[in-house]
Amino acid sequence: MIYWLGVATLVGIYLIAVMGVSILCGFTGMFSLGHAGFMAIGAYTSALLTKNFGIPIFAGIIGGMILAAIAGALLCYPTLKLRDDYFIIVTLGIGEAIKLIILNAVNLTGGARGLSDIPKGSSFISVWAIVIITFIVLRSFINSKHGRNCIALREEELAAQSVGINPIKYKMVAMVISCLLCGCAGGFLAHYMHYLQPNMFSMVKSDELIIMVILGGQGSLTGTVLAGLLLLPLPELLRFGSAEQWRMVFYGLLVVIVILFRPAGLMGMREFTFKDIKNVAKWFRSEYSKKTTRNKV
Amino acid sequence: MDNYDVECALEICDVCKHFGGIIATDHINIMARSNTIFGIIGPNGAGKTTLFNLITGIYKPTSGDILLYGKSLVGKLPYEIACEGVARTFQNIRLFNDLTVYENLHIAYQKSITYTIFDGILKTKKCKEQEAKCAEISEQMLKSVGLWELKDQLARNLPYGLQRKLEIARALITNPKVMLLDEPAAGMNEEESEQLSGIIKDIRNNNDITIIVIDHHMDVIMDVCDEITVINFGKQLVTGSPYDIQNNSEVIDAYLGVGD
């Protein structure tokens, strides 16, 4: 039971990061392959602040969020003018560079040996409370003018400019939001694991974040969360069949299947609503009644 | 038209644009008077769309100045120029394809929405009021252009003529002082282009707006424009009323070739 509570906590932590990436990649249309790097900034900042200066954990996490957001804003300001594909390459470089800096700043971060004895603090309740708050906040962001402007930039940048949307500003907004959330997830991760190591934030992690956004549907927050809930516990489930090393193969297979059969992702650009739940329930009921009548016959 | 001086909405003063060695527009001068419809015609590759891109800030002029009610637009970014009150449509339609017709207009209504991101997240009173107003205006606009029944359709699924219409509506909802229409009648049949002429005239009559149109459909241009300028190979040939243009020998040469 405690084990599954731990898994659920971990899923929640990554969901926070995935939702952040969803705003940047799904809604604003800027793909990033380096967001694990911003998670690392949040994680190490929070860990070092709480460990060395003894400040409370929530303050440490906020510090990590702010530093990740500042780093994201500074690194990306000169690159936002680049076309999509070049932006991806830059983020890839940034993510790896952050990892390498942490790896080589041995005195501060412990380098490859890792950073241990980080204060405990991420509980199931605190993590999932943040997940829910993040979801609500992002939802109202997307439905506001500012979220709509981000979507307009994804759809057609030139047209968006021609109605008076400042592209740099809104790309920056999306970038900062995603970095804040990745920093937050990193902080929670540090206080959940009590131990950090640069390899936890490799490119594979960034890929996983992106894959969940693509699988869930670009431009659907609920879709992203759904994909996250589906994929994040997967390594733990596969562990039982000692098939853990097959995880990435499975991810890749899943992406191929989704691209073949649902090119827009699980939810496409739609949001999952209560109405959908009702419809699904109705469908189940009708299927069930069909079966029972068939059995009677 | 009028004998006394009418205010000039958009003034293009001696604008040149060079792409390397190619001269796309060469000393163009245009004065579009307030609340008129101004036409720009010319053969393909004459530099008409380049001129629009110069006005909207996508290109920077090599020399010359562009004034909107006396205020220079040169050096401003495209979105800033849009905020100043210049709206445009594109030659190859650029709608927000994966969004609905309603959302296309909803996004374009920017000007009077001033609430901040935090207002949006906390759903403050200011945010709700402005959103309600935005929804109301989008609805009005859709009804006035006759797209209300199609509001939940994706923009990409609309037929070509309606996409054009939607693009014009999207430009119009920004409440511009000057609207630039880049080949609005392209790909339309006679009946559709006649309808379009009516729409363009209605827009001018019902709004405080100056319209500049590029098109190849002479019936549309001659029908709607108060004044026309002809451009050929980046050079301005002649400016005048539709009647003058039709009877100008230079224009006839440019379009039909010089006779022996």
Side-chain angles (χ1 to χ4, degrees), chain A:
Chain A
M1 187 59 213
I2 285 170
Y3 170 73
W4 287 111
L5 207 63
V7 173
T9 313
L10 211 56
V11 168
I13 290 170
Y14 280 111
L15 264 187
I16 297 171
V18 172
M19 282 193 276
V21 175
S22 171
I23 292 292
L24 186 72
C25 304
F27 287 93
T28 319
M30 303 199 308
F31 278 85
S32 159
L33 288 177
H35 264 63
F38 297 110
M39 276 183 84
I41 292 180
Y44 273 90
T45 309
S46 184
L48 290 170
L49 281 177
T50 47
K51 195 181 160 193
N52 295 345
F53 302 106
I55 67 167
I57 281 169
F58 79 91
I61 290 176
I62 289 173
M65 285 167 75
I66 291 171
L67 202 70
I70 291 172
L74 285 181
L75 288 170
C76 287
Y77 183 67
T79 56
L80 284 177
K81 283 177 187 157
L82 296 177
R83 270 210 350 256
D84 316 346
D85 21 10
Y86 296 103
F87 181 78
I88 297 176
I89 295 170
V90 169
T91 52
L92 179 68
I94 289 171
E96 287 300 288
I98 292 171
K99 197 185 110 187
L100 283 175
I101 289 170
I102 292 169
L103 200 60
N104 286 299
V106 180
N107 291 334
L108 190 65
T109 63
R113 283 172 55 203
L115 190 68
S116 50
D117 299 328
I118 300 163
K120 256 186 179 183
S122 313
S123 65
F124 175 81
I125 293 168
S126 63
V127 167
W128 277 90
I130 296 291
V131 170
I132 290 165
I133 291 169
T134 309
F135 183 80
I136 293 169
V137 164
L138 290 185
R139 224 189 142 107
S140 30
F141 169 76
I142 290 158
N143 289 328
S144 78
K145 169 203 172 191
H146 304 279
R148 286 201 301 269
N149 288 359
C150 289
I151 296 170
L153 282 178
R154 175 193 68 194
E155 287 294 314
E156 183 58 67
E157 193 169 330
L158 205 55
Q161 289 184 36
S162 82
V163 297
I165 296 169
N166 181 350
I168 300 289
K169 181 182 164 193
Y170 285 100
K171 284 180 179 178
M172 219 41 183
V173 164
M175 188 71 196
V176 167
I177 288 176
S178 69
C179 287
L180 274 176
L181 291 175
C182 279
C184 178
F188 273 113
L189 189 69
H191 299 296
Y192 171 77
M193 296 287 214
H194 331 297
Y195 171 76
L196 286 176
Q197 189 218 347
N199 270 343
M200 290 158 73
F201 306 102
S202 60
M203 209 192 92
V204 178
K205 203 90 260 167
S206 303
D207 293 351
E208 277 175 33
L209 297 178
I210 284 277
I211 284 174
M212 277 170 230
V213 174
I214 293 173
L215 283 185
Q218 289 181 55
S220 170
L221 197 61
T222 40
T224 310
V225 172
L226 222 63
L229 288 175
L230 219 67
L231 290 184
L232 286 167
L234 207 63
E236 301 301 329
L237 295 175
L238 289 174
R239 186 165 292 168
F240 287 105
S242 64
E244 208 183 347
Q245 68 270 36
W246 291 96
R247 177 169 58 119
M248 285 318 281
V249 177
F250 193 77
Y251 270 28
L253 203 68
L254 218 62
V255 172
V256 171
I257 290 171
V258 166
I259 286 172
L260 280 179
F261 295 105
R262 286 200 73 110
L266 283 178
M267 296 297 297
M269 285 180 45
R270 286 181 55 247
E271 291 291 354
F272 198 73
T273 56
F274 285 112
K275 219 172 160 189
D276 291 320
I277 298 174
K278 263 187 214 157
N279 286 343
V280 169
K282 213 188 268 169
W283 181 78
F284 267 118
R285 228 175 288 142
S286 68
E287 285 294 306
Y288 179 75
S289 61
K290 251 188 241 164
K291 218 176 247 172
T292 45
T293 48
R294 216 178 289 150
N295 285 349
K296 273 174 200 163
V297 175

Side-chain angles (χ1 to χ4, degrees), chain B:
Chain B
M1 292 223 305
D2 300 336
N3 289 328
Y4 44 85
D5 228 358
V6 187
E7 204 182 0
C8 192
L10 189 79
E11 204 176 343
I12 296 176
C13 316
D14 221 18
V15 164
C16 299
K17 175 67 187 173
H18 300 181
F19 293 107
I22 297 165
I23 299 168
T25 64
D26 192 10
H27 298 286
I28 303 281
N29 283 290
I30 286 174
M31 283 175 76
R33 281 169 303 168
S34 203
N35 296 322
T36 60
I37 301 177
F38 193 97
I40 300 175
I41 58 173
N44 283 325
K48 305 180 299 287
T49 300
T50 305
L51 201 60
F52 272 14
N53 286 342
L54 287 168
I55 298 170
T56 51
I58 294 169
Y59 299 147
K60 288 196 173 60
T62 313
S63 67
D65 205 355
I66 297 166
L67 304 170
L68 177 73
Y69 285 102
K71 223 165 129 193
S72 177
L73 295 178
V74 173
K76 286 194 172 149
L77 294 169
Y79 84 90
E80 289 172 326
I81 291 173
C83 292
E84 292 282 340
V86 179
R88 74 172 291 182
T89 66
F90 295 87
Q91 190 173 356
N92 39 352
I93 303 173
R94 288 176 188 269
L95 289 168
F96 304 126
N97 274 328
D98 286 325
L99 303 183
T100 64
V101 169
Y102 179 76
E103 284 169 328
N104 264 276
L105 288 193
H106 205 54
I107 284 174
Y109 185 74
Q110 292 271 337
K111 253 180 207 163
S112 315
I113 300 190
T114 53
Y115 66 81
T116 63
I117 292 179
F118 300 103
D119 284 322
I121 289 170
L122 298 171
K123 292 197 175 147
T124 56
K125 204 176 148 207
K126 193 177 168 191
C127 162
K128 278 182 185 157
E129 277 171 5
Q130 292 184 351
E131 284 291 322
K133 193 172 170 234
C134 174
E136 191 193 311
I137 287 177
S138 310
E139 189 181 325
Q140 266 174 20
M141 178 61 73
L142 277 178
K143 279 180 177 158
S144 73
V145 295
L147 289 171
W148 179 247
E149 286 75 34
L150 297 167
K151 71 183 167 79
D152 294 323
Q153 290 277 330
L154 289 188
R156 67 160 76 251
N157 295 339
L158 289 185
Y160 190 78
L162 293 183
Q163 287 192 357
R164 286 258 173 231
K165 222 179 196 180
L166 179 58
E167 215 189 12
I168 294 174
R170 189 182 66 187
L172 200 59
I173 205 172
T174 64
N175 197 13
K177 293 175 191 152
V178 173
M179 184 156 79
L180 312 176
L181 302 177
D182 198 344
E183 300 207 13
M188 285 187 177
N189 60 30
E190 221 161 280
E191 193 189 332
E192 282 171 324
S193 51
E194 221 165 84
Q195 242 180 21
L196 183 81
S197 307
I199 292 172
I200 295 174
K201 280 186 198 161
D202 279 348
I203 291 171
R204 197 266 313 265
N205 295 339
N206 299 334
N207 298 280
D208 186 17
I209 196 172
T210 310
I211 301 173
I212 301 182
V213 198
I214 291 177
D215 217 303
H216 287 297
H217 280 235
M218 286 305 146
D219 39 353
V220 175
I221 289 280
M222 295 301 164
D223 185 22
V224 302
C225 292
D226 301 307
E227 206 174 357
I228 297 171
T229 195
V230 185
I231 300 177
N232 192 22
F233 292 117
K235 286 198 173 64
Q236 203 167 3
L237 293 182
V238 63
T239 306
S241 71
Y243 180 80
D244 295 340
I245 300 293
Q246 278 168 337
N247 297 303
N248 186 295
S249 61
E250 257 185 289
V251 176
I252 294 165
D253 287 348
Y255 267 93
L256 301 178
V258 187
D260 292 322

